[in-house]
Amino acid sequence: MASDDIALLAEALSKTHVEYGELSYKGQGLKLDNTESVKELVREIEEYQGLRALRLEGNTVGVEAAQAIAKALECKDQLQVLGGERLEINCLSLGSALMTAGARLRELDLSDNAFGPDGVKGIETLLKSSACHSLQELRLNNCGMGIGGGKILAAALTECHEQSSALGAPLKLKVFQAGRNRLENEGATALALAFQLMGSLEEVHMPQNGINHAGVTALATAMQHNPHLRILNLNDNTFTKRGALAMAQALRHLRTVQVINFGDCLVRSEGAIALSAVLREGLPTLKELNLSFGEITEAAALVLAQAVQDKPHMEKLDLNGNCLGEEGCEALKETMDNMDRADILASLSDDEGEPDEEEDEEVEDEENGKEMKENGVKDESESPVKLEPTCHPEILSFLSSPTTETLLKLGDNRTGLIQQHVDVSDPDKVADAFLRISSLYSDDHEVKKAVLETIDILLKKAFSGSSLQTYSFLSTLLVMLGLLKGEGKVKKVQVLPGHLLVLEHAVQQDYFPQDHATLLDTFVARHGKALKSCSHARDSLKSTLERRISPEC
């Protein structure tokens, strides 16, 4: 080692931060290649009595130097925290040293070490050992683990939990960070199973991992089993509608979440509406919500804004980089200002502008085709809603090809049959049934009465569920009516006056919550052109919605 390097080390040692048993060389910029280069550092470690934390972040430590440090740690049985980046580290020797010392780690940070899957194998034995039974914080950001490394890590954490549980003190990991690791769906799914088993997580940071809806759904399921979760950061993965719905469902069960970062996750408008439902009925301690760069349009953004109105702890709502357009940005700012919450809205300086509808439809079709092909799914978008195999034959006949004759033929028992055979927990089925039944609306007294009674029974049961379920129904209905750009197999229908007149009837009923009427009004007011073929019924619906949400009007 050159004399100037030794001098740098000596100077760094003189600046070493020591507090509560911590020896820190963090951010010193040292390049330690061999045994000689860490001679003084090793001496400091060996002479430090009661060493609890060793910080090496911001230095470069070669293999030989790392082995020397590991040797010095073999007698440090009180070590709880180890951190280091750019270590070029022999993880096996480091783990062996910690186990030899009988250390009980509380925090392990090996971020920014490009050790890949093989490096995970190097710490696998350590993670399975009693040295990690007490681990509370694990940080492995930017380590290039890949799918294979993610699976190895998941298996090691699972075994650690099982072994520690057998000893009566189960692993209770609180903080997990593994951003920029190319975990993808398989790695994320493997880790999700470990997270579900532990159930102790308070912070999960997994940004930029190439995870799409399958992996997001697995993580969502796992999060439901971690009731003390406070921070969830999945920035720059790909949710789409299915992932967003799964995550919204998980968030319904979590009461301590303070920070949600789903920025650059392609949440889109349907996902935003689902999250709005969760905001309405849950997340009482939420402080920050990041849904930036998610292809969310103006109306959906306004629904989100309305949903945060009564969140007393809310400090930041980030909707930058979405597709609001200039007028949409102004409308959002005005809405937040009217609610006296303008201070929590982040900058909208990177808004992408209103989407081009024709281009969006082409991209959407390409994405849906590609996704169905990749998953071996047939396009069933033109098929009627599926019913149970045991469905009453008259109901099957009616919903497959609804006519006024088949509706009336069901007789007085039609409401009971509809209620029995339409799965109201499935938003797509409810929306489909609503449109099929309401399409028969007419001025004929008997037909009108039959249609409205049947709709009332269907929606009363549907609206008895969670807000997430009913917001999802409205979201699907909006897509089918052409008021919202959707994804997946849901297709637009030819809008008939009956659809809108029956909807106007429904929004006036006690079972139809006011916030749902507000949601509907937001979209009808901004995308009414899609209903121009039924302008009279549209205008009547708009007037009724305005009276419902503002009775003084």
Side-chain angles (χ1 to χ4, degrees):
M1 183 181 186
S3 59
D4 55 344
D5 290 333
I6 295 175
L8 284 172
L9 177 58
E11 181 182 358
L13 290 172
S14 69
K15 298 177 181 177
T16 296
H17 172 65
V18 181
E19 183 178 358
Y20 303 116
E22 177 180 291
L23 198 56
S24 177
Y25 305 91
K26 188 174 182 178
Q28 300 291 348
L30 302 172
K31 186 175 182 179
L32 308 173
D33 299 322
N34 51 40
T35 304
E36 181 65 22
S37 69
V38 292
K39 184 177 179 180
E40 290 299 317
L41 188 155
V42 166
R43 182 182 62 78
E44 288 281 332
I45 293 172
E46 291 175 340
E47 292 180 356
Y48 196 108
Q49 299 300 313
L51 182 63
R52 293 174 180 267
L54 176 62
R55 297 286 190 183
L56 297 173
E57 297 97 322
N59 302 288
T60 301
V61 185
V63 174
E64 185 179 332
Q67 290 173 336
I69 294 171
K71 183 68 175 177
L73 292 173
E74 287 184 354
C75 61
K76 300 301 174 183
D77 60 347
Q78 296 183 49
L79 190 69
Q80 297 178 3
V81 179
L82 177 64
E85 63 187 32
R86 298 195 300 276
L87 293 178
E88 301 176 19
I89 198 163
N90 186 326
C91 294
L92 191 60
S93 64
L94 178 64
S96 178
L98 294 172
M99 289 185 287
T100 299
R104 293 292 183 269
L105 290 178
R106 180 177 58 81
E107 179 182 342
L108 180 61
D109 186 350
L110 296 176
S111 296
D112 300 308
N113 287 292
F115 48 55
D118 290 339
V120 182
K121 292 178 182 178
I123 60 171
E124 179 183 12
T125 302
L126 171 63
L127 290 171
K128 290 179 179 179
S129 74
S130 59
C132 287
H133 286 184
S134 55
L135 194 64
Q136 295 183 18
E137 301 181 17
L138 178 60
R139 294 180 171 86
L140 297 170
N141 289 312
N142 194 30
C143 290
M145 287 191 288
I147 294 172
K151 289 181 176 180
I152 295 170
L153 177 60
L157 290 173
T158 299
E159 185 169 331
C160 182
H161 183 271
E162 291 174 347
Q163 291 184 2
S164 58
S165 297
L167 295 174
L171 170 67
K172 293 184 178 180
L173 192 67
K174 294 181 179 180
V175 178
F176 179 85
Q177 294 185 0
R180 299 179 64 190
N181 272 292
R182 304 192 307 276
L183 294 170
E184 301 182 15
N185 285 340
E186 291 183 60
T189 300
L191 284 165
L193 294 174
F195 297 163
Q196 183 170 331
L197 179 66
M198 291 185 291
S200 56
L201 289 167
E202 296 179 9
E203 296 184 24
V204 174
H205 304 262
M206 298 175 67
Q208 290 184 294
N209 270 295
I211 306 168
N212 67 28
H213 70 84
V216 171
T217 299
L219 289 170
T221 300
M223 293 306 104
Q224 293 186 51
H225 296 269
N226 288 266
H228 303 296
L229 189 70
R230 294 183 297 105
I231 299 175
L232 182 56
N233 176 7
L234 296 176
N235 188 282
D236 200 7
N237 290 290
T238 306
F239 281 36
T240 61
K241 176 184 175 180
R242 281 183 282 182
L245 288 176
M247 197 56 72
Q249 180 64 40
L251 290 170
R252 287 186 60 232
H253 302 278
L254 300 172
R255 308 294 295 175
T256 61
V257 176
Q258 297 178 7
V259 178
I260 296 173
N261 186 344
F262 296 160
D264 206 10
C265 283
L266 216 60
V267 167
R268 291 178 171 157
S269 295
E270 288 179 279
I273 291 172
L275 291 169
S276 299
V278 180
L279 286 166
R280 287 281 189 183
E281 65 179 2
L283 297 173
T285 62
L286 190 65
K287 294 181 178 180
E288 296 184 20
L289 176 60
N290 183 348
L291 295 178
S292 59
F293 298 93
E295 294 189 3
I296 298 170
T297 54
E298 175 193 351
L302 293 174
V303 171
L304 269 169
Q306 293 155 3
V308 304
Q309 180 175 6
D310 297 322
K311 293 296 171 196
H313 305 290
M314 199 74 177
E315 298 173 358
K316 184 177 182 181
L317 174 64
D318 192 346
L319 293 173
N320 194 22
N322 282 295
C323 304
L324 311 185
E326 185 176 345
E327 292 184 3
C329 287
E330 290 304 315
L332 179 58
K333 291 175 183 177
E334 182 180 350
T335 297
M336 298 297 290
D337 189 51
N338 290 340
M339 298 188 303
D340 198 24
R341 303 305 302 271
D343 58 315
I344 71 171
L345 182 65
S347 168
L348 300 173
S349 59
D350 296 317
D351 186 74
E352 296 286 342
E354 293 183 71
D356 178 60
E357 292 184 8
E358 293 183 3
E359 181 179 338
D360 282 344
E361 289 177 0
E362 291 176 4
V363 171
E364 179 186 328
D365 290 340
E366 290 176 6
E367 287 180 353
N368 294 337
K370 180 180 178 182
E371 187 170 279
M372 286 188 288
K373 183 177 180 180
E374 289 175 349
N375 291 285
V377 177
K378 295 180 180 179
D379 185 0
E380 299 176 346
S381 59
E382 301 303 323
S383 302
V385 63
K386 289 185 177 180
L387 301 171
E388 299 299 325
T390 57
C391 184
H392 192 286
E394 291 182 347
I395 285 290
L396 180 62
S397 173
F398 167 66
L399 289 176
S400 297
S401 182
T403 64
T404 54
E405 290 76 13
T406 54
L407 175 63
L408 296 175
K409 188 177 179 182
L410 293 174
D412 294 336
N413 197 33
R414 59 179 168 266
T415 56
L417 290 172
I418 291 288
Q419 189 175 26
Q420 181 181 353
H421 292 291
V422 176
D423 181 7
V424 296
S425 67
D426 186 328
D428 291 357
K429 291 182 179 180
V430 178
D432 182 271
F434 174 89
L435 292 173
R436 288 172 183 273
I437 297 167
S438 62
S439 68
L440 304 178
Y441 181 89
S442 76
D443 290 331
D444 180 270
H445 175 74
E446 186 178 10
V447 174
K448 180 191 293 187
K449 182 173 182 291
V451 168
L452 296 181
E453 286 180 352
T454 306
I455 287 295
D456 283 340
I457 287 296
L458 174 68
L459 294 189
K460 187 174 183 179
K461 185 176 179 182
F463 278 95
S464 66
S466 68
S467 290
L468 175 58
Q469 181 178 309
T470 51
Y471 266 53
S472 296
F473 154 67
L474 285 181
S475 178
T476 301
L477 187 63
L478 290 168
V479 172
M480 298 177 80
L481 290 174
L483 296 170
L484 171 64
K485 175 184 176 291
E487 62 181 73
K489 64 182 183 180
V490 178
K491 299 295 183 182
K492 298 177 185 177
V493 299
Q494 180 181 352
V495 182
L496 301 174
H499 293 145
L500 306 183
L501 294 172
V502 173
L503 191 54
E504 180 184 0
H505 163 82
V507 301
Q508 299 176 74
Q509 308 310 307
D510 291 340
Y511 60 71
F512 205 101
Q514 182 163 327
D515 61 289
H516 290 57
T518 301
L519 185 159
L520 194 57
D521 177 66
T522 300
F523 278 88
V524 172
R526 282 160 179 79
H527 301 289
K529 291 181 180 179
L531 306 176
K532 61 184 179 181
S533 62
C534 307
S535 58
H536 179 73
R538 177 199 63 194
D539 294 343
S540 182
L541 172 60
K542 286 175 65 176
S543 297
T544 299
L545 284 168
E546 289 170 2
R547 288 195 300 272
R548 175 68 199 279
I549 63 179
S550 301
E552 67 277 6
C553 293

